[in-house]
């Protein structure tokens, strides 16, 4: 595709050379491209001219924002993929699941599932130039999985923004000559507060460090709550920090882009979390790429950078943990804790022992803020792009719709900044994107590789980048990744463990709420499929075969269904790789 840079506010039109013919989206012999560049962002208006026609086809017109520079896209994807999970989740999973032994399933899943699915989502969004729901015009019956990933991103945003607000609170608290989590003589400290290395008389069960009490008693005020059924009011300090985060997100988004078995489950889930597969973000970001962008190269570069970052974080984290284990003269498992405790207890405690600790603390929490904001922006962009592309009338009101989304997210996140907010946070973290994200990616793989067709998908990629995906990628898309994901989903359900926060066990009703949350996103797949089969009013309800044919055929090929030509009803479609 040829484009021409012009001065700001000036528009030009060019005729792109004839694209290779494809049997996927109809003839595209001549493409007229209108390019406008403003403030570093290019806007393209594309008109497809069919052969032997003097006028453009109005249905072929589209206008979509594109990245101003290629580096903007790469940095956005890397910024989303490299997030807090690289800092606190990956190192802890390595330790809990055998250290280096965990790298075996992790790298295995990276090669046969993570990278192929990462590549698949980038190509899917770039070719169809739609969000997570709109891309399923290629197989309408699967559009429900688009709403699944949108809901997952929305649910994760309810608690992920709270982590960033904690980091902001710690950042403000670090601008002191002495960090507030160094000693036990503060108003929030309990009689059990002591340095493990200095107090050998107290029982290990009751010992708590100043850093641990600062996080739980000064920041969270969890001592004022008896559990998830005793939340209390939102704390104004954390609410203010959360509001700052929400404002930053809004002004960044309102204008658009710029056991052994259990070890394997956690490795698969970590791949999805780490690479960002299944959240709809990769589809949303790549939908703003130019049509001829080399998405294959992007997939290799960004997924490799993300994994290398995880490995590097692991080395850094274990040096911290080893130091703290030696300092307190306790076993490593006493200091190797999961999630927020690792970032907001162990790290700050280790930083407090460094010369010029306040400076290092400021730098560390600024790093957490940048990691968190990038990923939060990606998740929210997935929601906004997915819904705006699906409901076209929202295009003209993007600023208002973005405001609505961020305000709604803020209001629900308030539950996580109450005295018992940590219990809500833990419940959301456990149910929002565990089994459901594996399920969503599984349905994506089945819909593209089997129903749309891995051969058709490969044709689309060849049309964009000039080369067809190798047999390795096609085999992973069609057989390897779906089979492994199916096994992981089944085992994940079979080996479910209820959440807990320390010694606190959640009541049955809370677990039920969590399951309702998880099932609400997964239920979008069957519900939309039923809706699609039942809403073709041009057909009698008894013509189920024709209804199914329309539902599994790309929208641009529905005229073929009228002629009785349905690819998916032939054996060759299912056998080809």
């Amino acid at each position: 595709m040829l484009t021409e840079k012009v001065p700001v506010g000036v528009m030009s039109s060019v005729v792109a050379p004839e694209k290779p013919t494809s049997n996927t989206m109809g003839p595209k012999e001549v493409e007229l491209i209108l390019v406008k560049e403003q403030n570093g962002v290019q806007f393209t208006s594309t008109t497809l001219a069919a052969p032997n026609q003097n006028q453009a086809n109005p249905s072929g017109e589209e206008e979509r924002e594109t990245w101003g520079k290629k580096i903007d896209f790469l940095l956005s994807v890397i910024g989303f993929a490299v997030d807090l999970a690289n800092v606190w989740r990956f190192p802890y999973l390595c330790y809990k699941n055998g250290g280096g032994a965990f790298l075996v399933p992790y790298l295995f899943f990276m090669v046969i599932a993570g990278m192929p699915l990462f590549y698949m989502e980038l190509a899917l969004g770039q070719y169809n130039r739609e969000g997570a729901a709109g891309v399923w015009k290629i197989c309408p019956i699967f559009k429900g999985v688009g709403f699944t990933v949108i809901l997952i991103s929305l649910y994760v945003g309810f608690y992920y923004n709270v982590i960033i607000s904690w980091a902001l609170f710690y950042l403000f608290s670090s601008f002191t000559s002495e960090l507030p989590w160094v000693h036990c003589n503060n108003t929030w400290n309990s009689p059990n507060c002591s340095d493990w290395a200095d107090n050998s008389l107290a029982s290990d069960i009751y010992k708590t460090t100043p850093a641990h009490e600062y996080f739980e008693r000064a920041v969270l005020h969890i001592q004022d709550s008896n559990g998830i059924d005793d939340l209390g009011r939102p704390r104004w300090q954390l609410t203010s920090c959360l509001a700052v985060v929400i404002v930053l997100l809004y002004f960044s988004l309102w204008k658009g882009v710029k056991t052994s078995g259990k070890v394997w489950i956690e490795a698969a889930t970590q791949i999805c979390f780490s690479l960002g597969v299944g959240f709809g973000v990769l589809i949303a970001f790549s939908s703003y790429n130019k049509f001829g962008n080399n998405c294959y190269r992007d997939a290799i570069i960004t997924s490799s950078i993300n994994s290398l970052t995880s490995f590097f974080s692991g080395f850094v984290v274990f040096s911290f943990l080893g130091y703290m284990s030696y300092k307190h003269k306790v076993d490593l498992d006493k200091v190797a804790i999961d999630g927020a405790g690792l970032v907001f207890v162990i790290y700050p405690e280790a930083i407090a022992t460094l010369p010029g600790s306040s400076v290092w603390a400021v730098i560390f929490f600024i790093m957490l803020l940048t990691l968190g904001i990038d990923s939060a922006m990606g998740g929210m962009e997935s929601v906004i792009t997915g819904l705006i592309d699906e409901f076209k009338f929202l295009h003209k009101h993007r600023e208002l719709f973005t405001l609505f989304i961020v305000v709604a997210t803020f209001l629900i996140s308030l539950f996580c900044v109450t005295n018992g907010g940590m219990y809500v946070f833990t419940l959301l973290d456990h149910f929002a994107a565990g089994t459901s994200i594996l399920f969503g990616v599984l349905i994506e793989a089945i819909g593209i590789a089997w129903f749309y067709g891995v051969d058709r998908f490969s044709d689309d990629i060849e049309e964009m980048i000039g080369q067809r995906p190798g047999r390795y990628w096609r085999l992973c898309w069609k057989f390897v990744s779906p089979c492994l994901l199916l096994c992981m989903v089944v085992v994940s359900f079979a080996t479910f463990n209820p959440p807990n926060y320390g010694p606190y066990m959640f009541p049955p009703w809370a677990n039920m709420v969590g399951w309702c949350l998880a099932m609400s996103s997964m239920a979008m797949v069957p519900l939309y499929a039923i809706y699609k089969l039942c809403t073709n009013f041009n057909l009698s309800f008894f013509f189920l075969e024709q209804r199914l044919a329309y539902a599994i055929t790309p929208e641009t090929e529905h005229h073929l269904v009228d002629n009785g030509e349905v690819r998916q009803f032939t054996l060759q479609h299912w056998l080809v790789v």
Side-chain angles (χ1 to χ4, degrees):
M1 181 184 296
L2 299 177
T3 59
E4 179 180 333
K5 258 193 175 179
V6 296
V8 175
V10 180
M11 305 180 73
S12 68
S13 64
V14 296
V15 179
E18 179 177 340
K19 282 188 182 179
T21 58
S22 171
N23 60 350
T24 59
M25 302 298 288
K28 297 181 181 179
E29 276 69 11
V30 180
E31 186 171 12
L32 302 176
I33 304 170
L34 195 62
V35 181
K36 178 180 179 181
E37 181 170 317
Q38 186 171 359
N39 298 328
V41 178
Q42 295 179 347
F43 295 86
T44 64
S45 181
T46 304
T47 302
L48 302 180
N52 301 325
Q53 287 183 335
N54 296 326
Q55 293 182 347
N57 181 4
S59 64
E61 294 183 359
E62 64 175 15
E63 183 174 337
R64 189 170 185 83
E65 185 180 2
T66 60
W67 299 97
K69 298 178 182 177
K70 175 62 177 290
I71 193 65
D72 295 340
F73 166 71
L74 289 176
L75 290 178
S76 294
V77 173
I78 293 172
F80 168 73
V82 179
D83 67 344
L84 297 171
N86 297 70
V87 177
W88 77 23
R89 185 176 174 85
F90 177 82
Y92 175 76
L93 290 179
C94 280
Y95 169 76
K96 188 177 76 169
N97 295 297
F102 178 75
L103 297 181
V104 175
Y106 177 83
L107 292 174
F108 180 72
F109 270 103
M110 172 64 71
V111 172
I112 68 168
M115 295 178 73
L117 295 171
F118 193 92
Y119 181 17
M120 180 187 75
E121 287 201 351
L122 288 184
L124 180 66
Q126 181 173 310
Y127 186 84
N128 293 284
R129 301 180 68 77
E130 296 273 0
V135 294
W136 289 101
K137 59 189 177 184
I138 63 173
C139 191
I141 199 172
F142 281 91
K143 183 176 282 189
V145 74
F147 294 112
T148 293
V149 300
I150 288 173
L151 280 177
I152 290 174
S153 290
L154 187 63
Y155 293 161
V156 170
F158 292 158
Y159 69 92
Y160 195 88
N161 295 330
V162 177
I163 304 173
I164 309 174
S165 68
W166 293 342
L168 188 61
F169 185 95
Y170 269 80
L171 177 63
F172 292 149
S173 301
S174 298
F175 288 99
T176 58
S177 58
E178 184 178 64
L179 295 174
W181 54 83
V182 175
H183 300 299
C184 290
N185 56 356
N186 302 288
T187 56
W188 59 79
N189 289 126
S190 72
N192 295 325
C193 180
S194 65
D195 189 315
W196 290 346
D198 297 333
N199 189 349
S200 60
L201 298 178
S203 169
D204 285 345
I205 299 177
Y206 300 105
K207 283 183 179 179
T208 57
T209 63
H212 184 269
E213 290 210 341
Y214 180 76
F215 178 60
E216 290 205 334
R217 300 177 67 87
V219 179
L220 302 180
H221 277 254
I222 201 169
Q223 72 276 12
D224 297 327
S225 172
N226 295 319
I228 196 169
D229 50 0
D230 179 28
L231 296 180
R233 295 179 179 179
R235 299 198 56 77
W236 71 266
Q237 298 94 331
L238 290 179
T239 301
S240 301
C241 292
L242 181 61
V244 172
V245 172
I246 293 296
V247 169
L248 286 174
L249 288 175
Y250 175 71
F251 284 105
S252 300
L253 293 167
W254 71 315
K255 287 295 185 183
V257 291
K258 276 339 295 161
T259 73
S260 172
K262 188 168 179 61
V263 175
W264 289 81
I265 295 172
E266 290 181 334
T269 306
Q270 174 60 18
I271 287 294
C272 292
F273 263 105
S274 186
L275 289 179
V277 172
F279 289 94
V281 179
L282 303 179
I283 296 175
F285 279 170
S286 63
S287 72
Y288 296 106
N289 277 337
K290 296 178 181 178
F291 186 83
N293 177 65
N294 193 335
C295 53
Y296 171 71
R297 180 181 58 198
D298 295 344
I300 298 298
I301 292 174
T302 52
S303 58
S304 299
I305 290 176
N306 177 74
S307 294
L308 291 174
T309 304
S310 293
F311 292 152
F312 179 75
S313 297
F315 293 133
V316 174
V317 168
F318 277 109
S319 66
F320 268 84
L321 296 180
Y323 168 70
M324 297 307 297
S325 175
Y326 174 79
K327 177 177 181 290
H328 293 303
K329 296 181 173 59
V330 296
D331 294 335
L332 190 61
D333 59 356
K334 298 290 185 181
V335 294
I337 55 180
D338 187 15
L342 182 61
V343 173
F344 295 105
V345 176
I346 301 301
Y347 286 172
E349 187 175 2
I351 290 172
T353 65
L354 299 174
S357 57
S358 295
V359 175
W360 292 111
V362 168
I363 294 173
F364 174 74
F365 290 110
I366 288 177
M367 179 202 72
L368 288 187
L369 282 173
T370 56
L371 284 177
I373 286 290
D374 274 350
S375 298
M377 285 174 55
M380 203 162 287
E381 182 63 45
S382 169
V383 176
I384 294 168
T385 297
L387 294 177
I388 284 180
D389 284 347
E390 180 62 20
F391 304 103
K392 303 297 184 183
F393 70 92
L394 293 174
H395 271 288
K396 298 179 181 179
H397 310 286
R398 180 183 173 101
E399 293 87 350
L400 288 176
F401 182 65
T402 301
L403 181 63
F404 170 77
I405 292 295
V406 297
V407 169
T409 300
F410 171 75
L411 294 176
I412 296 177
S413 298
L414 289 177
F415 287 101
C416 295
V417 295
T418 57
N419 294 332
M422 191 61 182
Y423 302 118
V424 179
F425 175 94
T426 303
L427 196 70
L428 288 171
D429 186 41
H430 194 84
F431 285 102
T435 302
S436 56
I437 197 165
L438 293 175
F439 174 81
V441 178
L442 168 64
I443 301 302
E444 274 188 4
I446 293 175
I448 293 173
W450 286 91
F451 283 81
Y452 181 58
V454 72
D455 58 326
R456 297 285 302 277
F457 188 57
S458 299
D459 290 340
D460 295 345
I461 294 176
E462 185 177 16
E463 186 177 347
M464 290 189 295
I465 67 177
Q467 66 181 44
R468 192 175 178 83
R471 186 170 296 274
Y472 168 78
W473 299 104
R474 302 200 303 272
L475 287 172
C476 284
W477 287 333
K478 188 155 188 174
F479 298 109
V480 182
S481 297
C483 289
L484 284 172
L485 286 168
L486 178 60
C487 292
M488 293 302 102
V489 170
V490 172
V491 174
S492 180
F493 276 109
T495 60
F496 169 76
N497 289 317
N500 66 283
Y501 182 72
Y504 178 80
M505 301 300 296
F506 287 81
W509 69 264
N511 288 316
M512 186 64 67
V513 170
W515 272 116
C516 289
L517 187 76
M519 296 304 296
S520 66
S521 59
M522 291 186 279
M524 290 295 104
V525 175
L527 289 178
Y528 190 87
I530 295 172
Y531 164 79
K532 195 64 182 178
L533 290 172
C534 295
T535 53
N536 194 332
F537 299 108
N538 295 325
L539 292 172
S540 168
F541 179 77
F542 298 100
F543 289 96
L544 294 179
E545 183 178 336
Q546 278 187 283
R547 288 177 177 271
L548 179 61
Y550 280 111
I552 62 178
T553 301
E555 293 178 356
T556 55
E557 298 179 2
H558 279 182
H559 63 282
L560 298 178
V561 178
D562 297 333
N563 298 329
E565 301 175 24
V566 184
R567 272 187 312 109
Q568 290 85 347
F569 288 174
T570 63
L571 183 61
Q572 182 184 4
H573 169 80
W574 300 97
L575 296 180
V576 70
V577 177

